[in-house]
Amino acid sequence: MSWDFTGGRGGAGGGRARLPSYVPPHLRNAPVANPYNAAYGYSPYSAVYNAPGYGQYGGGGYVLGGQQDFAPRGRGRRGRGGQRRNEYESSSSSSFADAIAEKFNELEVLGEEEAAGGGGGGINFEAYDDIPVKATGNEVPPPVERFDEIDLGEGLMQNIRRCKYSKPTPVQKHAIPIAVAGRDLMACAQTGSGKTAAFCFPIISTILKNGLNSGPGGTRTVAQPSALILSPTRELSCQIHEEAKKFAFKTGVRIVVAYGGASIQQQLGSSCKWAFCSIWLVAHLSGDVGLRLFNSVRFFFYGICCVVQLYNLEKGVDILVATPGRLADMIDRGRVSLKMIKHLALDEADRMLDMGFEPQIRKIVQQMGMPPPGQRQTMLFSATFPDEIQRLASDFLKDYIFLSVGRVGSSTGLISQKIELVQDMDKRSHIMKLLHGQKANGKRDLTLVFTETKKGADALEYYLSMSGLPAIAIHGDKVQMERERALRSFKAGVTPILVATDVASRGLDIPNVSHVINFDLPKDIDDYVHRIGRTGRAGKSGLATAFFSDQNMPLAKPLVELMKESNQEVPPWLSEYAKSSSNTYSGGGRYRRYGGGGGGGSRHGGYDDYRNDYSGGGYGGYGGASYGGYDSGSYYGDNDYGGYAAPPAWSGLGGGGGYELGTEAVVASGWDM
DNA sequence: AAAAAAC
């Protein structure tokens, strides 16, 4: 029964069969049957650690320096020749050959960030030529057409070539010169537009120019990274880390990832891991007493972990990729100091600055020793950038450039959106119908199902599993190990149905998703945009189905507008709802602080520099009526975002040197890619 | 009334 996997157990057959274990150097260039084996480093331990009873310790998480980086002697990259490599490390990208192999494999299966960031893999670069790009701000550095127009440093250039990034994507063309010039940046660019590289290249390049921070001495007791990259989920941090490592290959730039969900095996050397596994085995064989013994040993090892963590931090880190909670914790403990930070990048910045996250971010950025704006470079990236968030973010920036990149393939209509009127009680039978229909197709395409709550995700997973459908759930209540296992299992097609909360809605690289089902629609239209953007990638068509129930009335209007923009057929009943609800729900019931106010600007990727709204009031395109509700002008009366005179005219080439590329204003149709 | 993010 396929749904045996839903418990995240892997099973003897499923789990072990995929384990590549050690790959000898001479075979590392060989194509990998399943890209995810290599890319995500199935370790021989996962089968063991995923055994029942281990779960609560979150074996899959990383405390610091995921994978290679946390091995006691670090990676081979820094001249250690990989002598400390163990099986786990080898199964990840321990050599660049592996990295390249992964890259190719990922491209083949339409990796998201990879694909768009890379020059190969059947990416339709012609489509990029039409993408409207707009940069506003003072003295905007001109874009480049090629990577070699900018001196990024030989090591990095070599890696760019190794990655087969032949040509920069639109966001890279603009963002890299801006960032290399040391300017602050607020970039509104789609997931999959290559933004990871857009902020990594300049950071790595500058670090190389200014000299590495991490010397071999290790006399420092506090890690002082010179760059910090923050992201809202652990998986995303991990993904960025993996990316960045490829770019920094052999440059000596040290990149460490830090996020929660404490792990044991990830941080121990191979011998410790084996010892740990053996103990676990013995413990299980000898029953209850053994298990108790195992638990004490586990705690012992946990203590060791902290020591290892310390050691690695002290060894030096140039770029720290982290989630906010863990970083704040490490700063509190005095393990990390931000006083040497020269570059700060926030990925998915709008989420990082929304209600739940903003205080943490503000604390990290403003109260934990980081140099103030002006003395550091700050770059914010997101696919959606509501005005309210822009306003918040401007606290972190100085004289920044706002960059807005339109969508790739928006005109091709890669994603078809279907909205169905399904009441909550009918949702289950309805999704069964949908999924069985797909099953009949015999395809192994991936289906991503979004629910509103964690409980809902679990319940749906259970229901689908019990109905014979291979589903697995991912959400924040699962321990990190289960989350990662779910993701792997989904990507590998073992459980081609992933039931997820919004933990999986942003930034994550989940290739081959052919269908996104919004079992529960999100409250926020931006979330919807991010969610459906998981499908329809790199030339493949995608389907996004949403179950619209009476609960979703507030979403009707923005949803209709979004669908119209992307040339989707709007069901008549939905239009009716949109009309009748237009003024009723203005901003009410929204969780996000920017809630109803965001309507002044355009949404779903077509955001504009809010500074330009300041004096002008609504400028065509999207009227302030988007959300019904507030007139956006009401926000601008505060006058509290100090010193921002309204910069040059928003429309590109005029005025103070904004750039405009492409054929139309940036509020182009289409949505995420 | 949610999700995420530290131990």
Side-chain angles (χ1 to χ4, degrees), chain A residues 47-369:
Chain A
V48 175
Y49 278 90
N50 278 309
Y54 184 72
Q56 67 272 34
Y57 276 87
Y62 304 71
V63 170
L64 185 83
Q67 309 202 349
Q68 299 93 318
D69 293 23
F70 207 74
R73 292 285 178 263
R75 304 149 293 180
R77 179 191 312 157
R78 289 183 62 76
R80 290 171 197 85
Q83 68 271 29
R84 290 281 303 197
R85 274 177 203 150
N86 54 40
E87 289 82 348
Y88 186 90
E89 289 161 344
S90 297
S91 69
S92 305
S93 49
S94 54
S95 76
F96 201 87
D98 289 350
I100 294 296
E102 286 172 26
K103 182 68 73 180
F104 273 122
N105 280 311
E106 286 170 32
L107 284 171
E108 272 167 28
V109 294
L110 311 176
E112 170 186 286
E113 302 281 354
E114 317 278 358
I123 301 306
N124 181 11
F125 262 84
E126 281 71 49
Y128 282 145
D129 293 338
D130 291 333
I131 294 190
V133 177
K134 188 172 64 186
T136 52
N138 298 318
E139 295 168 34
V140 181
V144 293
E145 285 301 314
R146 294 183 348 217
F147 285 121
D148 55 20
E149 286 176 48
I150 290 190
D151 178 26
L152 291 170
E154 191 40 47
L156 180 55
M157 284 306 293
Q158 216 170 331
N159 289 337
I160 293 173
R161 283 193 293 272
R162 280 171 171 138
C163 290
K164 308 264 185 244
Y165 286 14
S166 55
K167 189 178 167 188
T169 63
V171 66
Q172 290 163 1
K173 285 179 189 173
H174 290 255
I176 291 176
I178 292 169
V180 166
R183 296 291 300 275
D184 280 2
L185 174 65
M186 187 186 288
C188 184
Q190 305 316 301
T191 323
S193 57
K195 58 187 161 65
T196 310
F199 61 75
C200 282
F201 288 176
I203 289 176
I204 293 171
S205 165
T206 313
I207 287 176
L208 284 173
K209 272 177 209 151
N210 294 344
L212 296 180
N213 181 29
S214 50
T219 48
R220 213 177 281 122
T221 55
V222 183
Q224 299 184 330
S226 52
L228 177 63
I229 299 171
L230 291 174
S231 91
T233 65
R234 297 168 186 171
E235 284 80 5
L236 192 50
S237 280
C238 201
Q239 194 177 293
I240 294 167
H241 175 236
E242 292 296 320
E243 277 290 280
K245 274 194 308 193
K246 289 170 192 169
F247 304 146
F249 177 67
K250 271 189 175 170
T251 57
V253 174
R254 218 180 125 70
I255 305 169
V256 172
V257 68
Y259 58 80
S263 133
I264 295 178
Q265 78 271 27
Q266 305 283 352
Q267 300 147 42
L268 297 177
S270 61
S271 54
C272 293
K273 288 183 200 172
W274 282 117
F276 198 68
C277 294
S278 322
I279 293 167
W280 179 85
L281 231 100
V282 171
H284 244 250
L285 292 176
S286 56
D288 200 42
V289 179
L291 274 177
R292 269 205 294 263
L293 175 71
F294 173 70
N295 279 333
S296 7
V297 173
R298 191 158 59 185
F299 281 114
F300 172 76
F301 272 98
Y302 193 81
I304 299 275
C305 282
C306 299
V307 178
V308 175
Q309 185 179 353
L310 263 174
Y311 177 87
N312 279 276
L313 266 176
E314 287 167 13
K315 212 167 52 179
V317 45
D318 298 297
I319 302 176
L320 181 59
V321 184
T323 48
R326 171 70 67 163
L327 177 68
D329 182 50
M330 291 195 308
I331 296 169
D332 282 339
R333 292 170 191 233
R335 299 306 175 210
V336 173
S337 159
L338 299 182
K339 72 178 183 204
M340 299 300 283
I341 292 289
K342 296 280 182 296
H343 313 270
L344 168 67
L346 300 191
D347 203 5
E348 303 296 343
D350 67 329
R351 169 147 295 186
M352 300 296 274
L353 293 172
D354 80 5
M355 256 218 302
F357 263 126
E358 192 248 353
Q360 285 182 63
I361 302 300
R362 194 170 284 277
K363 187 179 161 204
I364 289 171
V365 175
Q366 297 180 328
Q367 295 161 25
M368 299 189 101

